[in-house]
């Protein structure tokens, strides 16, 4: 008899979520699509939430990692940014700590994958946020073949000191299998 090798496979699916979806202890206030998170008009001094649902299926023996990064900070057409929270992917912070009181606005993300590489539980608290970074950062992980689904929650808030405008960036997701 001859042996048949299984073909390597990895599937990454990004789904949008409607406003009103409960995830990571909050209810989303803005609808997302697989290719966009549109916060719309953000009320002053009110946290606004949206999320992407990420599904990964792989038969990779040593699992996978999903990394994400922003091509730039959240900028308007004049180059003005909505500041990222001070927490990083390596050391996320609570919103109150990461969004400084003097900031005119803040932007951050949270992953619902509570255990990342090396057993890190840095995102296990629901109120743990990292600022946008322009280098790939881990947002999902498994050390074994998996069929996983997690949400990446985006939170933004502004004060009346944040200049009005349409703020944009691109978020890139990378799935990396480990065979």
């Amino acid at each position: 008899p001859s042996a048949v090798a299984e073909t390597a496979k990895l599937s990454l699916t990004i789904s949008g979520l409607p406003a009103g979806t409960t995830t990571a202890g909050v209810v989303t206030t803005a609808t997302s699509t697989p290719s966009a998170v549109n916060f719309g008009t953000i009320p002053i001094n009110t946290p606004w939430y949206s999320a992407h649902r990420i599904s990964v299926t792989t038969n990779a023996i040593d699992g996978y990692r999903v990394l994400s990064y922003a091509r730039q900070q959240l900028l308007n057409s004049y180059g003005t940014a909505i500041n990222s929270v001070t927490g990083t992917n390596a050391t996320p912070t609570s919103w109150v700590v990461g969004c400084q009181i003097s900031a005119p606005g803040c932007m951050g993300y949270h992953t619902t994958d509570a255990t990342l590489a090396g057993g890190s539980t840095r995102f296990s608290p629901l109120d743990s946020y990292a600022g946008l970074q322009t280098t790939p950062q881990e947002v999902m992980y498994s050390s074994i073949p998996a069929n996983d689904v997690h949400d990446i929650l985006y939170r933004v808030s502004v004060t009346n000191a944040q200049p009005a405008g349409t703020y944009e960036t691109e978020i890139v997701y990378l799935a990396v299998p480990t065979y």
Side-chain angles (χ1 to χ4, degrees):
S2 62
V4 176
E6 185 176 3
T7 304
K9 67 180 173 184
L10 172 72
S11 169
L12 170 75
T13 304
I14 302 166
S15 302
L17 295 174
T21 301
T22 300
T23 183
V26 301
V27 176
T28 59
T29 49
T31 296
S32 66
T33 68
S35 61
V37 173
N38 184 349
F39 286 103
T41 302
I42 301 167
I44 301 296
N45 298 321
T46 302
W48 220 238
Y49 302 95
S50 192
H52 276 136
R53 181 151 292 156
I54 310 294
S55 302
V56 176
T57 301
T58 185
N59 64 353
I61 294 168
D62 292 324
Y64 72 90
R65 290 173 67 191
V66 172
L67 310 169
S68 78
Y69 68 94
R71 296 228 188 252
Q72 65 184 21
Q73 292 302 311
L74 201 56
L75 299 175
N76 68 12
S77 60
Y78 299 105
T80 303
I82 294 178
N83 297 331
S84 281
V85 294
T86 60
T88 64
N89 184 283
T91 311
T93 62
S94 68
W95 192 262
V96 170
V97 170
C99 183
Q100 299 175 352
I101 259 183
S102 61
C106 289
M107 168 69 175
Y109 71 88
H110 170 86
T111 177
T112 62
D113 192 344
T115 306
L116 298 174
S120 174
T121 58
R122 63 189 181 265
F123 281 101
S124 61
L126 292 177
D127 184 21
S128 54
Y129 290 90
L132 298 180
Q133 294 177 303
T134 57
T135 56
Q137 304 295 314
E138 182 181 60
V139 294
M140 286 177 67
Y141 170 79
S142 176
S143 62
I144 59 173
N147 185 8
D148 288 344
V149 177
H150 289 288
D151 294 341
I152 310 302
L153 176 70
Y154 295 98
R155 179 176 177 172
V156 65
S157 65
V158 296
T159 69
N160 57 4
Q162 182 71 47
T166 300
Y167 290 80
E168 297 181 326
T169 191
E170 287 182 3
I171 303 292
V172 177
Y173 295 105
L174 306 165
V176 182
T178 307
Y179 289 97

